[in-house]
Amino acid sequence: MIKADNLIKDYGTVRALQGISFEIKDGEFYGLLGPNGAGKTTTISILSTIIAPDQGSVQIAGYDLKKDPEQCKRSIGVVPQEIALYNKLSAYDNLLFWGSLYGVAPATLKTRIDEILTLFGLSDRKNDRVDTYSGGMKRRINIASALLHRPKVLLMDEPTVGIDPQSRNLIFEVLEKLHKEGMTIIYTTHYMEEAERFCDRIGIIDKGAIIAQGTLAELQNTGGIKESIAVTFNELKDDLKAKLNSTISGEFTFTDNILTYSSAHVKNDLSKLIIQCNEAGADISHIEIQKVNLETVFLALTGKQLRD
């Protein structure tokens, strides 16, 4: 459905994209994760035809972005990071305006607006001006406006930032419905749990390059990242820390009163670690098994929190 090959984009002396390539299958939910400034929004902007790459090519739904930009535009719906609505118009009039720009026939458009307002739980507020809406309600209409022409591909740039739990859950329900119906979705987010919940595959981008790509399970195996055992002690003085250093075998680190032990075989190593800590005279207050999740992978690959 989407194929990007060697995309390069410069802003003056800054190279925002270093020559990224990826392919997204028809009906796939693809997550694009990265720290701020990594190149996510630039990539989405190129796919949505807002900016042109300096080098490289893109194909969307079988059309070349340079040769057939209009066909590409008809194939995509775009949910930008910033709200793109007219505050002085009602939700209905906003959808009427955006739907007409997509070229949806008037009779068809009115039917689709009614359907989509129902889908997003806003039928009873359709005639209210957007500036009377909450942030979450505006987000819902923002997404709704991108679906009026029933695109093959939906591009979503951080669509749930700063919204209430009710709106977030409703958007999640809509996304699950669209995915089940076979829509291809590209999704950037700052929330790891969203990517873990929805994405068939995930690309991690950093400094303009895709540094890892695959399913969640494949990413969890990237770079030999291991599960870990976090042992919290009631008190960890320097002499006890020195004794633990000489007693415990394997990969481990200390942070305040917490020892973090990396393990490829947690079940086997857990009992051994407890025995070694007891032998050293350490007073254990808490033990936690830390699974390898998307945040663990992200931090290992980029060395950064997602919100940095």
Side-chain angles (χ1 to χ4, degrees), residues 245-290:
N245 270 313
S246 63
T247 303
I248 296 172
S249 58
E251 300 175 31
F252 62 93
T253 58
F254 287 106
T255 305
D256 297 325
N257 286 348
I258 300 174
L259 180 152
T260 303
Y261 185 92
S262 298
S263 173
H265 308 284
V266 167
K267 289 183 180 179
N268 293 332
D269 289 342
L270 177 57
S271 59
K272 296 176 184 177
L273 182 61
I274 293 172
I275 291 170
Q276 290 172 335
C277 289
N278 287 334
E279 287 176 349
D283 184 10
I284 298 172
S285 64
H286 181 72
I287 297 175
E288 179 184 358
I289 306 299
Q290 298 178 335

Side-chain angles (χ1 to χ4, degrees), residues 70-292:
E70 293 305 317
Q71 291 291 348
C72 289
K73 288 178 183 179
R74 291 189 182 98
S75 300
I76 62 175
V78 181
V79 181
Q81 193 174 129
E82 301 297 327
I83 300 293
L85 299 172
Y86 290 97
N87 282 323
K88 302 302 180 184
L89 297 180
S90 67
Y92 189 92
D93 287 341
N94 264 281
L95 294 176
L96 200 62
F97 172 75
W98 290 111
S100 65
L101 288 185
Y102 282 122
V104 182
T108 302
L109 180 57
K110 290 180 180 179
T111 300
R112 289 186 186 172
I113 289 174
D114 288 336
E115 291 173 349
I116 212 157
L117 283 168
T118 300
L119 180 66
F120 281 95
L122 291 170
S123 294
D124 60 335
R125 296 288 305 272
K126 68 179 183 180
N127 293 318
D128 295 346
R129 286 186 3 176
V130 166
D131 59 7
T132 68
Y133 277 20
S134 68
M137 293 166 68
K138 290 178 182 179
R139 284 282 176 189
R140 284 186 258 167
I141 291 295
N142 207 44
I143 297 170
S145 65
L147 297 171
L148 292 166
H149 61 305
R150 295 181 178 171
K152 295 178 180 178
V153 177
L154 186 63
L155 307 174
M156 309 186 78
D157 193 5
E158 299 184 30
T160 62
V161 171
I163 63 173
D164 58 277
Q166 182 184 10
S167 290
R168 178 175 280 110
N169 286 334
L170 197 150
I171 289 170
F172 287 172
E173 290 174 7
V174 172
L175 290 177
E176 287 171 341
K177 182 177 184 293
L178 295 174
H179 187 207
K180 188 175 181 180
E181 291 173 352
M183 182 175 287
T184 304
I185 301 173
I186 301 179
Y187 193 88
T188 78
T189 181
H190 272 171
Y191 302 111
M192 295 290 187
E193 64 275 13
E194 291 184 9
E196 289 182 335
R197 175 174 176 173
F198 295 116
C199 298
D200 299 312
R201 285 191 306 134
I202 296 164
I204 296 178
I205 185 170
D206 192 26
K207 298 178 182 178
I210 292 181
I211 58 176
Q213 187 173 215
T215 65
L216 178 58
E218 288 168 345
L219 289 173
Q220 286 173 331
N221 291 325
T222 298
I225 302 170
K226 301 176 183 178
E227 293 181 347
S228 60
I229 304 166
V231 182
T232 303
F233 303 101
N234 285 319
E235 190 174 16
L236 192 60
K237 294 182 178 179
D238 289 340
D239 58 338
L240 179 56
K241 186 181 289 188
K243 195 169 184 180
L244 287 168
N245 270 313
S246 63
T247 303
I248 296 172
S249 58
E251 300 175 31
F252 62 93
T253 58
F254 287 106
T255 305
D256 297 325
N257 286 348
I258 300 174
L259 180 152
T260 303
Y261 185 92
S262 298
S263 173
H265 308 284
V266 167
K267 289 183 180 179
N268 293 332
D269 289 342
L270 177 57
S271 59
K272 296 176 184 177
L273 182 61
I274 293 172
I275 291 170
Q276 290 172 335
C277 289
N278 287 334
E279 287 176 349
D283 184 10
I284 298 172
S285 64
H286 181 72
I287 297 175
E288 179 184 358
I289 306 299
Q290 298 178 335
K291 299 288 186 180
V292 177

